[in-house]
Amino acid sequence: MALVVADRVKETSTTAGTGTLTLAGAVAGFQSFAVIGNGNTTYYTIVDSTANTWEVGIGTYTSSGTTLARTTVLANSSGNTSPISFAANSKDVFATYPAGKAVYQDSNGRVAVSYNGASSTVGSLNVGGDASGVTEI
């Protein structure tokens, strides 16, 4: 399915271990992961403030059972890409846009793009126009 990003998506979970999280419903003022759509993937963050642990990754949402499978871990509080073994504490689970996946314009007006873990800067990217003059710096 598709990679979907959405604003103001936040739920809680008390699921323990390294597996799929069962989501407990939207936090007041936020949307549930249902806006991502069944079978779609999204960027997520899990934060256990009690244990001071966190994880950022790509997850797959399933509407049956309202779960989020931790498909790919991008970073965590242990400094690696393994799933954190979370305690049964209440955890915040929210949609995010990881820095390592971000495309942004730097202070010189250049668009910075990350790929394969390396950072590169691309000059004068004309979105929707002729990109034949784009050069890698």
Side-chain angles (χ1 to χ4, degrees), residues 60-99:
T60 304
Y61 175 74
T62 304
S63 59
S64 174
T66 59
T67 62
L68 184 69
R70 296 151 69 184
T71 310
T72 304
V73 177
L74 300 172
N76 65 33
S77 53
S78 295
N80 59 48
T81 57
S82 297
I84 293 289
S85 184
F86 286 106
N89 303 327
S90 181
K91 292 166 283 302
D92 290 322
V93 184
F94 55 93
T96 191
Y97 188 42

Side-chain angles (χ1 to χ4, degrees), residues 29-52:
F30 291 86
Q31 302 182 82
S32 75
F33 274 86
V35 300
I36 301 303
N38 187 50
N40 290 329
T41 59
T42 194
Y43 297 118
Y44 71 85
T45 295
I46 306 166
V47 177
D48 181 342
S49 297
T50 303
N52 199 27

